[in-house]
Amino acid sequence: MGGNSRKFKKAEKSKIKLKGAKLPKGTNVTKTNFKVRKIVIPEQLKQRNLSDPTALSHRSLTAKDCLAKLKQNNPASKCDGLRGVREILGKLPTEITENNLSLAVKSIASVAVDLERDVRRDCYKTLGLLFAAAKEENILPFFDVLLSFLRCAMTHIQPRIQEDSLLLLDTYLMYLPRLVLLNRDKIFPQFLDMISKLRNESKPERTLTLSLNKQQTNTKWRTRVLMRLIGMLKILIDRKRGKKELAEDREVEPMEVEDQSNPPKAAQRLGRKHRTQRGRKVLPAELHICYFYCCLNENFRSDRSKNYAKVVTYVEACVNGWRFRSPELNALLLKVLRYMLLETDCSTVNQNTRGLLKTLLEVYIEARLPQDTRNRILILFCDIIVLNDRLWREYGQDIFTLWLKMLPNLLKKSSIDLSVLKALLCLAKQKNTIFLQSLEENIDGIVANAGKIKIVNEQYRNEGAVLIVNLLFWIGSKDTLEKFVKEGKLAELDDGMREYFRSTMRSRLACL
């Protein structure tokens, strides 16, 4: 140990030591004798408007500072920023509506789909104040942004955000009704997706979906969605009627429904209007209300309430005064009639629904309706008889007796639609006794006219003639069919159809 220590000291002494001038005293000492002065830029203060306390929030933040807080991840910071924006809107609205409107709309609307419920609710309040402070025409350039966030909320994967999207739509309807109506075609598909879904992507048919969660029933959820749609329709009605009719309808409020035992107030409104239906233009919105009422009441055909009676009475008034020139209005009324008389799983029928069917039959027989409308009503009657035998019996078979006897006369006219021929063939296949008996009585005229009748919407040659022959195949009288096979009264048909007629009748005779 001692030898190692001596060797270390000797090595240290042998090192070369550099010699040089020493640093002068004081050069390595920090000077503390400098002066400090504040930098003041008046233009910056003027731009931030810090000199005006009315343009600041209670935390002395400007509008841009409050909007910048909305980009943070902390929910408390977002709520604080929205609160600051509301304070500035209350003190000096022009600070936002004139200087920062574009930034405010985009920033506030972006938190409409926030995951936190409190942030979303504060967002809707702030948007309401912003819309009230800024005029509707000033919001127009940014409405596409607002609409995109609304549609995102309505189709969001989180059920809570979907529910709150209805509150966002309420804000739009309250402050921006005209812009909502101009863009209703972009909103309506999301309405349908919230309560229904497509059965098949290639077909427009839909089926109702279940509610978003277990805290509310399916009916309540569908009602909440349809309430907003009825609110849009009411605004559209008020816009079209003008100031005079608007004053008469101020007492009618948007429909509120809690469950199926509390029917829409809109039904009461329709009951007050049906008495003057003949002298007033029918509005599509009123027919939509009838349609939605039936959708919300699953057993509406057996409903004995006064509200359903008023809906039926109003639709009856529309049918009795059927003079619509608009194809869209015709199609809408037929849609309502088809749903009320045929669709849904309700197989029981009350007196009101039975009376509506009788009224429609009388109008079909007596009134001069457009041919396309007559064809669609005829197909509706055939579907009632063919598709739901129990429902037909509930209506009463005697209701259709006169109409069924008249049907073969359509085959003796100059033209007939292909869809009507198919509906008649379905009746024959079902072996409807009244129809087949009338068909047998008119077989002479039908066969004589088979080669002359024009088939509308025929896709290929002799398609209609084949359907007529197939229709006659179901006649059950052996003597009648043998007479036509032997006598051969088929001069109007070409050779191919005459041969097809004879072979078809021989096949039928072999079965009898």
Side-chain angles (χ1 to χ4, degrees), residues 249-285:
D249 293 335
R250 279 177 184 170
E251 59 184 25
V252 181
E253 298 296 330
M255 185 180 69
E256 295 285 346
V257 184
E258 291 299 328
D259 53 32
Q260 291 184 356
S261 62
N262 183 18
K265 295 179 182 179
Q268 302 174 8
R269 176 185 178 185
L270 293 174
R272 293 196 298 269
K273 291 185 176 181
H274 79 271
R275 292 185 291 273
T276 59
Q277 179 62 38
R278 288 180 179 272
R280 190 177 63 81
K281 183 179 179 181
V282 178
L283 295 176

Side-chain angles (χ1 to χ4, degrees), residues 3 57 72 80 107 109 117 122 170 182 215 225 229 245 369 385 406 473 505-506:
S57 67
Q72 299 182 13
D80 188 49
S107 300
R117 176 178 177 271
D122 276 358
D170 288 341
L182 291 175
Q215 296 182 3
V225 176
L229 181 58
E245 294 189 1
L369 300 176
I385 297 173
M406 293 173 55
F473 172 85
M505 295 302 108
R506 291 192 189 100

Side-chain angles (χ1 to χ4, degrees), residues 279-490:
R280 190 177 63 81
K281 183 179 179 181
V282 178
L283 295 176
E286 295 169 352
L287 292 175
H288 277 298
I289 291 173
C290 297
Y291 182 73
F292 291 140
Y293 176 86
C294 296
C295 291
L296 292 172
N297 292 269
E298 296 178 358
N299 296 318
F300 64 90
R301 282 199 206 106
S302 58
D303 189 2
R304 301 179 185 275
S305 67
K306 294 181 180 179
N307 290 311
Y308 178 65
K310 292 173 182 177
V311 170
V312 172
T313 308
Y314 178 80
V315 176
E316 272 191 62
C318 294
V319 172
N320 281 323
W322 203 321
R323 298 183 182 89
F324 308 140
R325 297 182 180 179
S326 169
E328 292 79 10
L329 202 55
N330 274 328
L332 180 57
L333 180 55
L334 287 166
K335 179 181 179 181
V336 173
L337 288 169
R338 188 174 186 86
Y339 193 88
M340 294 178 70
L341 297 174
L342 175 62
E343 294 182 2
T344 73
D345 297 329
C346 180
S347 299
T348 57
V349 176
N350 64 1
Q351 194 62 33
N352 294 323
T353 311
R354 191 175 291 107
L356 176 61
L357 180 62
K358 289 181 179 179
T359 302
L360 185 60
L361 271 166
E362 292 172 0
V363 170
Y364 175 83
I365 294 172
E366 298 174 3
R368 295 182 178 180
L369 300 176
Q371 190 58 46
D372 179 64
T373 302
R374 294 181 65 84
N375 292 342
R376 294 182 65 177
I377 295 175
L378 183 146
I379 293 172
L380 170 60
F381 292 154
C382 292
D383 288 344
I384 291 175
I385 297 173
V386 174
L387 299 180
N388 196 331
D389 186 65
R390 181 180 175 184
L391 183 61
W392 177 37
R393 297 181 189 281
E394 283 284 337
Y395 280 124
Q397 301 180 21
D398 56 319
I399 296 179
F400 293 97
T401 301
L402 177 60
W403 176 75
L404 287 169
K405 290 181 179 180
M406 293 173 55
L407 288 180
N409 293 328
L410 298 174
L411 299 170
K412 296 190 291 184
K413 293 186 176 182
S414 58
S415 63
I416 188 172
D417 194 272
L418 185 67
S419 60
V420 175
L421 264 180
K422 292 180 179 179
L424 297 180
L425 183 58
C426 290
L427 280 176
K429 287 180 179 179
Q430 199 191 32
K431 298 183 179 180
N432 187 282
T433 307
I434 302 173
F435 173 68
L436 291 177
Q437 185 178 355
S438 179
L439 187 69
E440 183 181 346
E441 294 172 357
N442 293 273
I443 189 171
D444 293 331
I446 294 173
V447 174
N449 192 50
K452 303 176 184 178
I453 190 170
K454 179 182 178 182
I455 309 300
V456 181
N457 296 323
E458 190 177 30
Q459 296 182 356
Y460 53 87
R461 187 172 178 269
N462 288 332
E463 181 183 8
V466 170
L467 290 177
I468 294 175
V469 174
N470 293 342
L471 186 63
L472 299 176
F473 172 85
W474 295 100
I475 293 177
S477 175
K478 188 174 183 179
D479 296 336
T480 303
L481 297 179
E482 285 179 346
K483 182 180 71 171
F484 274 92
V485 172
K486 292 178 181 178
E487 295 181 2
K489 298 180 179 180
L490 308 169

Side-chain angles (χ1 to χ4, degrees), residues 26-171:
T27 56
N28 60 344
V29 179
T30 303
K31 295 182 179 181
T32 59
N33 58 352
F34 56 85
K35 295 181 179 180
V36 179
R37 181 177 294 178
K38 294 181 180 180
I39 300 175
V40 179
I41 304 177
E43 290 299 324
Q44 273 191 1
L45 294 176
K46 184 177 180 182
Q47 183 179 357
R48 288 172 56 83
N49 211 357
L50 294 175
S51 58
D52 187 0
T54 59
L56 303 176
S57 67
H58 72 288
R59 294 181 180 272
S60 299
L61 297 176
T62 63
K64 288 187 177 180
D65 294 336
C66 294
L67 294 173
K69 283 197 165 191
L70 304 183
K71 298 181 180 180
Q72 299 182 13
N73 294 327
N74 189 0
S77 298
K78 294 180 181 180
C79 291
D80 188 49
L82 291 170
R83 193 180 303 111
V85 172
R86 292 199 298 271
E87 291 175 357
I88 296 174
L89 284 171
K91 295 178 181 179
L92 188 65
T94 54
E95 177 66 21
I96 294 179
T97 57
E98 294 182 3
N99 301 331
N100 302 287
L101 184 58
S102 174
L103 178 62
V105 170
K106 295 177 181 178
S107 300
I108 299 172
S110 64
V111 296
V113 292
D114 195 89
L115 296 178
E116 294 295 328
R117 176 178 177 271
D118 294 338
V119 176
R120 295 195 302 270
R121 297 296 174 89
D122 276 358
C123 169
Y124 306 153
K125 293 179 185 178
T126 310
L127 283 176
L129 291 175
L130 179 62
F131 296 156
K135 295 182 179 179
E136 197 169 8
E137 53 267 23
N138 294 330
I139 300 294
L140 177 61
F142 314 107
F143 192 72
D144 286 340
V145 176
L146 296 170
L147 189 62
S148 64
F149 282 108
L150 173 64
R151 297 172 67 183
C152 287
M154 295 175 76
T155 58
H156 204 278
I157 192 172
Q158 293 290 338
R160 294 296 184 185
I161 297 180
Q162 280 196 39
E163 291 181 22
D164 285 352
S165 68
L166 300 179
L167 301 178
L168 179 59
L169 180 60
D170 288 341
T171 305

